[in-house]
Amino acid sequence: MDQRTELSEFLRSRRARLRPEDVGLPDHGTRRRVPGLRREELAQLAGVSTAYYIRLEQGHGESVSTAVLDSIARALRLTTAEREHLQRITKPARRRTGRPAAGRRQQIRPALQQLLDAMESVPAYVLGRRLDIVGWNRLGNALLGDFSAMPAEQCNMAWHVFLDPAARELYDDWEGKAADVVGILRLDAGRDPDDPRLASLIGELSLKSGDFRRLWAAHDIRDKGHGSKELHHPVVGRLTLRYETLRPAGEPGLVLVTYHAEPGTTSAESLRLLASWAATAPVAGRGEPAGPAGAETGAVDRAPVDRAAGAAGAGPTGRESSSEPPR
């Protein structure tokens, strides 16, 4: 990624989001040739000269001070993740001696994998740089996809979301999930602009997915956080799950993502049924057949889930009930 081009396009895209009334400036009703604030208006808000800001927006950020960047970030109303991105693309950090090769696929410590395996009732997975999926547990594999059976280059959340047809069926708000993924990739690109594997991934997604090209051109920045997801699982049906993001100490670039359901809801019961299935189902990639989430619905052996559902007095379809919180 060319840092100068990225700086120029990022600043323009953020300026285009703002209208004069958003920032307390008068709008005299004159027709604007471009959307958003004019350069001179942004410069006025940031307390710098128009010429200075124009030079920065042209990609010349070598001598800009941190104080000026902070003023511009406030004027543009940047989020914390966007501020980090602006700092990185304006003043790229020097490569540190002994830094692991940017293109190398990360691995997780055996103890962290053991922790994942011990979380038998919590779907969990670990993301590395460029959204590589570098670790997971059995229930995470059953919920989101058969990571164990994927080639290494496809075991990546961005590849899964944009190039795996099953992802569009899995995520109820696929557009929101896709926007999050692209925003996180943008943040990663600012951190490691010379990463050849990231460049290759972005190139493949741009070539094969019009949706990715559209979202990438928006220059939005996101960071992994917490929230909720609506899923349509091929075995247990509809699920409303909360997700949390944890960052293991001493593991730069790795994040642990967990899912859970609100106690007493239909989703909690469906997740328990899926955990029951996953506890006895074979796992691909360990010398055994694939799990349910990566297979066609009709091809999945649902007998363990159906028997568990009968014992619990509930079916695995994930239909709404009075115990599910309102949406």
Side-chain angles (χ1 to χ4, degrees), residues 1-16 39 42 52-62 69 72 76 85-86 88-91 186 217-219:
M1 182 181 70
D2 181 78
Q3 298 290 80
R4 179 172 291 184
T5 300
E6 176 66 14
L7 175 59
S8 176
E9 293 180 352
F10 178 70
L11 287 174
R12 290 179 183 180
S13 71
R14 301 309 88 182
R15 181 166 56 85
R39 287 172 169 174
L42 197 285
Y52 188 98
Y53 177 75
I54 289 175
R55 179 171 172 78
L56 180 63
E57 197 172 277
Q58 290 173 340
H60 301 283
E62 302 85 2
L69 277 184
I72 291 172
L76 289 171
H85 185 67
L86 178 61
R88 289 182 182 277
I89 61 179
T90 306
K91 297 178 176 294
R186 273 277 179 201
H219 286 268

Side-chain angles (χ1 to χ4, degrees), residues 117 119-123 137-144 233 235-236 270-284 286 288-293 300-305 308:
D117 293 337
M119 299 164 65
E120 297 180 354
S121 63
V122 177
N137 62 9
R138 186 184 288 264
L139 188 51
N141 195 62
L143 178 68
L144 298 177
H233 194 273
V235 173
V236 296
S270 295
L271 190 60
R272 187 189 68 79
L273 295 174
L274 185 61
S276 178
W277 190 96
T280 57
V283 179
R286 299 177 184 176
E288 299 168 329
V300 177
D301 176 10
R302 297 177 56 135
V305 176

Side-chain angles (χ1 to χ4, degrees), residues 26-225:
D27 185 359
H28 301 292
T30 57
R31 186 173 181 178
R32 292 173 177 259
R33 292 177 296 175
V34 295
L37 295 179
R38 298 186 178 99
R39 287 172 169 174
E40 56 268 26
E41 291 171 330
L42 197 285
Q44 176 187 340
L45 288 171
V48 298
S49 71
T50 300
Y52 188 98
Y53 177 75
I54 289 175
R55 179 171 172 78
L56 180 63
E57 197 172 277
Q58 290 173 340
H60 301 283
E62 302 85 2
S63 60
V64 64
S65 69
T66 300
V68 169
L69 277 184
D70 287 342
S71 296
I72 291 172
R74 285 193 298 271
L76 289 171
R77 301 190 172 185
L78 299 187
T79 66
T80 300
E82 289 172 333
R83 285 171 178 261
E84 177 191 339
H85 185 67
L86 178 61
Q87 290 280 354
R88 289 182 182 277
I89 61 179
T90 306
K91 297 178 176 294
R94 293 183 177 181
R95 298 295 179 189
R96 298 189 299 273
T97 304
R99 181 181 179 274
R104 185 181 304 165
R105 186 176 178 86
Q106 290 170 282
Q107 295 182 338
I108 65 174
R109 293 179 288 108
L112 184 53
Q113 182 60 57
Q114 290 167 8
L115 173 63
L116 287 173
D117 293 337
M119 299 164 65
E120 297 180 354
S121 63
V122 177
Y125 61 93
V126 176
L127 293 173
R129 290 187 296 269
R130 74 193 73 87
L131 292 179
D132 285 340
I133 304 166
V134 297
W136 56 86
N137 62 9
R138 186 184 288 264
L139 188 51
N141 195 62
L143 178 68
L144 298 177
D146 191 8
F147 304 138
S148 305
M150 295 177 185
E153 64 274 11
Q154 296 179 11
C155 203
N156 175 280
M157 188 56 69
W159 196 101
H160 164 66
V161 167
F162 286 97
L163 301 183
D164 183 356
R168 292 181 183 266
E169 300 296 326
L170 179 64
Y171 298 102
D172 182 65
D173 181 15
W174 181 88
E175 182 74 18
K177 175 67 174 180
D180 287 343
V181 163
V182 171
I184 295 170
L185 277 185
R186 273 277 179 201
L187 195 59
D188 274 356
R191 290 167 176 160
D192 278 311
D194 302 322
D195 182 347
R197 291 192 67 239
L198 179 57
S200 177
L201 174 65
I202 293 170
E204 181 182 9
L205 295 174
S206 298
L207 182 65
K208 296 179 179 179
S209 173
D211 286 316
F212 179 84
R213 292 193 298 272
R214 170 177 56 84
L215 291 168
W216 186 255
H219 286 268
D220 289 336
I221 301 296
R222 309 280 175 87
D223 201 1
K224 193 72 175 174

